Amino acid sequence: MTDLTRRRVVQAGAAGALAALSLRPASAQTAAQTTGEDRRPMPDLILRNGRIATLNPQAPAATAVAISDGMFQAVGDDREIMALAGPETEVIDLGGRTVIPGLNDSHTHLIRGGLNYNMELRWDGVPSLADALRMLKEQAQRTPAPQWVRVVGGFTEHQFAEKRLPTLAEINAAAPDTPVFILHLYDRALLNRAALRAVGYTKDTPNPPGGVIERDAAGEPTGLLVAKPNALILYATLAKGPKLPPEYALNSTRHYMRELNRLGITSVIDAGGGFQNYPDDYAIIEQLHREGQLTVRIAYNLFTQNKGRELEDFQRWTGMVKPGQGDGMYRHNGAGEMLVFSAADFEDFKEPRPDLAASLEDELYAVARHLVENRWPFRIHGTYDESITRFLDAFERVDREVPFDGLHWIIDHAETVSPRSIERIRALGGGIAIQHRMAYQGEDFVARYGARAAEATPPVARMLEMGVPVGAGTDATRVASYNPWVALYWLTSGKTVGGQRLYTDANRLDRTTALRLWTEGSAWFSTEDGRKGRIQAGQYADLAVLSADYFSVAEDAIKDITAVMTVVDGKVVHGAGEFRRRAPDLPPPMPDWSPVLRYGGYQHAATAPAQRAATDLHARACADGCAHGCGVHGHAHQGAWLAAVPAGDLKSFWGALGCSCFAF
């Protein structure tokens, strides 16, 4: 056996041919395997010939990295890292691609999003309303009764070439019989006539507090629901729809995590959500954790569910779970983002800023004091400085009686936070988690408050200048998209997805600084600073190999970056192109009418046709419960059909090596 064979070095140029033999990365090895007289652990995996942006100020660039037992063991040049390789080390040639630390979304809703992902038609990235309506019509035709077609956030009218939302007449024409629910940001939902029947809204249905059911001249609901300004009517209506059974919810969550991996995300902080009850609605994610099927690290916060009984929720939960409980893949992170309902200032920029209840300070004080006494980190949704000022009054009152004393706590969003409030946040040891909601709502903000007011909304550069911890995220999926590259585009360009420039140079970040907020910056928000966020020895082995060089591509091209390979905990969890066969297989989306099966997730304009072609092939292979699992590729037949193999036509292998992907 040659030394090359013993090391199982997989060169990128030969990856397609080796994929036919179904070679997979070696499983994680323990530190007991050693090499050399110094008894250092033998790396499980070496990545070489890359352009690695480590974000380590002492060694900002490298070409190779060694990974052992889920941690970065060494980072350097090819020669010194390859010297660590042992006979069982897997080596991957990166072909000169750019590598970054795994992206970490410091405020998102993965747990809720995963439970619903396979049921949702994503308009994220769709360039025109005509395309969106075509997708809606096609999906309505394949969705069986009593299921709905749901478009739940992640888009804005401003991204469409037509610069408008669909009309109710257009939605009814596209889907005359299948219920359709379309959620646009926090401001409205559009329902077709079938959906109105499904939820039971009639002329006798009263408007809920904070919401409006639009009616025609006869008093009948038209299908437009408006948040004025409370989004509860939108969420309560969505909650009336069918849910996936547990088997499908497990599958859905795995597909959503893989979609995040495809974009380079390796960690998230889940901010809870309305109608997301603990522990019941966490059963699916916890089962995946027990079974070792998480491909994204999750730190989760708990969001109160009972208006008027918020303190009771947190008193119960502080007796059930402790901050940090869990492990590096799944761990508890404290309270929020909803602490008390009286503090909810939804950012519907089509409506005036809401006036919060007079009871806010006392209610928030009681909850915050309980959390600080129990050393629970917490976060709170705060869009407007007028709200944040009142939150800080309550928190400072608590601190005078029960010192925060280094406890991590967070203001979420902070679009209009003032310098004075930033100073107060810093004095209490807090951080600010910012998201790219303005990329989706910037035009609405400008229309209401003016372009000058939007120039520092949120004032990210000022936050950094004042020394407050800042982490970046998306707040996906019900407002902005989960795509981190849209957020990085917004931070660096200062533009919305509709192309409107919001920020002057004073509030735009350079690309490295923006990336830091998405990596080591976000680690502070789960109290994991120093453990993740850099490609550095001793940190978690999480990284993304990019489809294009983030640091040099044209500004508009940032939005289209994806990961061609993503590594979490030292294991390849996603691969595309020459790295596709490095990632584990994923079962097809369930149920068989899932929009994900046809369209996937985020719609990259440049690759949408190829993406649809791939999912069409997947559907042909496995949508009806394929009984033709291949000995080489399992049920991933589309990979064989689409593979470009340097050694020749993959069809020629199936008889000799057991591949039956073409026996249909």
Side-chain angles (χ1 to χ4, degrees):
M1 181 181 293
T2 68
D3 183 60
L4 181 66
T5 303
R6 284 197 303 271
R7 291 186 181 178
R8 297 169 63 204
V9 177
V10 181
Q11 299 291 338
L18 290 174
L21 297 175
S22 196
L23 292 182
R24 291 288 185 266
S27 59
Q29 305 294 316
T30 68
Q33 286 187 295
T34 57
T35 180
E37 294 183 359
D38 61 359
R39 309 300 290 172
R40 286 178 297 179
M42 182 186 74
D44 303 318
L45 176 65
I46 286 177
L47 307 180
R48 60 174 294 275
N49 189 25
R51 299 172 62 191
I52 302 175
T54 68
L55 297 188
N56 178 0
Q58 281 69 50
T63 64
V65 61
I67 294 170
S68 180
D69 199 24
M71 309 291 287
F72 291 124
Q73 178 183 346
V75 183
D77 62 33
D78 283 17
R79 180 189 56 79
E80 59 186 334
I81 299 303
M82 285 302 298
L84 302 175
E88 295 300 321
T89 298
E90 191 81 31
V91 181
I92 301 176
D93 187 326
L94 300 177
R97 290 189 180 275
T98 297
V99 182
I100 62 170
L103 298 175
N104 183 355
D105 190 329
S106 65
H107 182 119
T108 190
H109 300 273
L110 182 153
I111 295 172
R112 179 182 67 196
L115 295 175
N116 298 288
Y117 179 67
N118 280 3
M119 293 192 294
E120 293 176 353
L121 177 66
R122 304 305 306 178
W123 281 356
D124 308 41
V126 175
S128 74
L129 179 57
D131 288 332
L133 286 170
R134 173 186 51 77
M135 294 167 66
L136 180 66
K137 181 176 181 178
E138 292 172 355
Q139 185 57 40
Q141 291 170 347
R142 67 171 60 90
T143 301
Q147 300 295 332
W148 297 10
V149 178
R150 312 170 204 224
V151 181
V152 182
F155 79 100
T156 172
E157 63 191 291
H158 306 294
Q159 79 191 38
F160 295 144
E162 299 87 344
K163 301 298 181 183
R164 67 175 180 86
L165 291 173
T167 65
L168 291 168
E170 288 171 327
I171 296 170
N172 280 299
D177 302 311
T178 304
V180 170
F181 177 98
I182 300 173
L183 177 68
H184 180 254
L185 306 175
Y186 277 144
D187 69 71
R188 68 193 58 205
L190 303 173
L191 283 68
N192 67 350
R193 286 186 289 269
L196 287 173
R197 291 193 295 270
V199 299
Y201 290 171
T202 70
K203 65 187 306 181
D204 298 320
T205 304
N207 287 334
V212 173
I213 301 172
E214 186 189 69
R215 302 168 196 274
D216 62 19
E220 296 290 348
T222 64
L224 174 63
L225 309 181
V226 182
K228 278 188 173 290
N230 192 311
L232 181 61
I233 184 176
L234 312 181
Y235 292 172
T237 304
L238 179 59
K240 294 176 181 287
K243 295 179 173 58
L244 291 175
E247 179 187 5
Y248 290 5
L250 289 165
N251 176 281
S252 178
T253 301
R254 292 185 66 190
H255 275 274
Y256 185 41
M257 289 189 294
R258 187 68 69 92
E259 169 71 354
L260 298 179
N261 297 150
R262 185 181 71 85
L263 297 168
I265 292 177
T266 60
S267 291
V268 304
I269 305 176
D270 188 283
F275 300 93
Q276 184 175 326
N277 293 283
Y278 184 83
D280 295 352
D281 292 326
Y282 291 70
I284 294 297
I285 203 71
E286 292 186 351
Q287 180 177 340
L288 291 171
H289 176 235
R290 289 193 304 271
E291 295 174 354
Q293 293 184 353
L294 293 185
T295 61
V296 176
R297 299 182 189 273
I298 301 170
Y300 64 95
N301 288 77
L302 297 183
F303 180 117
T304 184
Q305 300 295 314
N306 294 291
K307 184 177 182 180
R309 302 200 308 275
E310 298 94 336
L311 181 59
E312 295 175 29
D313 279 346
F314 292 114
Q315 287 172 333
R316 182 172 68 258
W317 291 334
T318 52
M320 295 173 62
V321 62
K322 302 298 181 186
Q325 183 174 318
D327 57 28
M329 290 302 298
Y330 180 75
R331 65 200 299 272
H332 177 53
N333 196 51
E337 65 180 294
M338 182 77 82
L339 298 181
V340 293
F341 280 82
S342 56
D345 70 340
F346 289 104
E347 79 301 342
D348 180 359
F349 297 137
K350 291 183 183 295
E351 296 291 330
R353 176 182 59 82
D355 291 323
L356 301 183
S359 61
L360 185 162
E361 284 85 352
D362 287 342
E363 293 172 357
L364 185 56
Y365 162 81
V367 168
R369 179 176 177 125
H370 175 76
L371 296 172
V372 176
E373 287 175 337
N374 284 273
R375 305 306 296 167
W376 264 47
F378 62 86
R379 64 193 312 156
I380 185 167
H381 173 117
T383 300
Y384 301 97
D385 190 61
E386 291 84 351
S387 307
I388 294 169
T389 297
R390 296 179 64 185
F391 302 165
L392 289 167
D393 290 344
F395 297 157
E396 288 167 349
R397 177 184 169 193
V398 172
D399 183 61
R400 288 192 294 269
E401 300 170 6
V402 185
F404 280 33
D405 194 22
L407 183 72
H408 283 206
W409 68 277
I410 304 159
I411 295 288
D412 281 310
H413 317 311
E415 274 83 3
T416 71
V417 67
S418 67
R420 173 58 183 146
S421 291
I422 297 172
E423 175 58 39
R424 294 173 70 189
I425 293 167
R426 183 179 67 177
L428 278 179
I432 303 174
I434 56 99
Q435 302 82 38
H436 65 319
R437 304 190 309 178
M438 285 291 287
Y440 291 80
Q441 302 179 89
E443 288 87 350
D444 297 331
F445 187 94
V446 169
R448 177 164 292 278
Y449 299 107
R452 184 68 180 271
E455 288 181 356
T457 306
V460 183
R462 186 67 177 269
M463 296 172 190
L464 294 172
E465 178 185 308
M466 295 180 69
V468 173
V470 180
T474 63
D475 199 15
T477 59
R478 292 185 174 178
V479 178
S481 173
Y482 51 76
N483 188 339
W485 298 102
V486 177
L488 285 160
Y489 163 78
W490 163 75
L491 283 169
T492 55
S493 73
K495 296 178 183 176
T496 69
V497 295
Q500 179 164 334
R501 184 177 295 280
L502 298 175
Y503 309 138
T504 65
D505 289 347
N507 200 44
R508 292 168 56 196
L509 304 184
D510 64 81
R511 296 187 188 190
T512 299
T513 300
L515 183 61
R516 287 190 188 280
L517 299 191
W518 263 95
T519 50
E520 60 182 346
S522 290
W524 183 91
F525 292 78
S526 56
T527 322
E528 294 177 289
D529 30 334
R531 280 186 274 172
K532 61 171 70 170
R534 296 180 180 178
I535 299 177
Q536 179 176 325
Q539 292 206 11
Y540 292 147
D542 303 341
L543 58 81
V545 182
L546 302 184
S547 61
D549 181 25
Y550 162 70
F551 300 99
S552 66
V553 297
E555 189 175 82
D556 284 348
I558 293 173
K559 300 190 298 290
D560 294 322
I561 292 175
T562 60
V564 295
M565 186 169 72
T566 303
V567 174
V568 176
D569 198 35
K571 305 175 185 68
V572 177
V573 296
H574 160 74
E578 65 264 39
F579 304 106
R580 184 180 62 250
R581 290 298 170 189
R582 313 268 334 152
D585 291 333
L586 190 65
M590 301 165 65
D592 59 10
W593 51 265
S594 169
V596 176
L597 193 63
R598 173 72 171 91
Y599 301 105
Y602 188 92
Q603 300 291 300
H604 294 274
T607 58
Q611 183 178 6
R612 286 195 294 271
T615 50
D616 277 349
L617 288 171
H618 199 154
R620 282 170 50 199
C622 291
D624 296 317
C626 172
H628 301 283
C630 161
V632 177
H633 304 101
H635 290 272
H637 309 296
Q638 77 281 10
W641 294 340
L642 296 175
V645 183
D649 185 352
L650 191 60
K651 296 182 183 180
S652 65
F653 286 95
W654 75 268
L657 298 179
C659 173
S660 56
C661 290
F662 299 88
F664 289 94

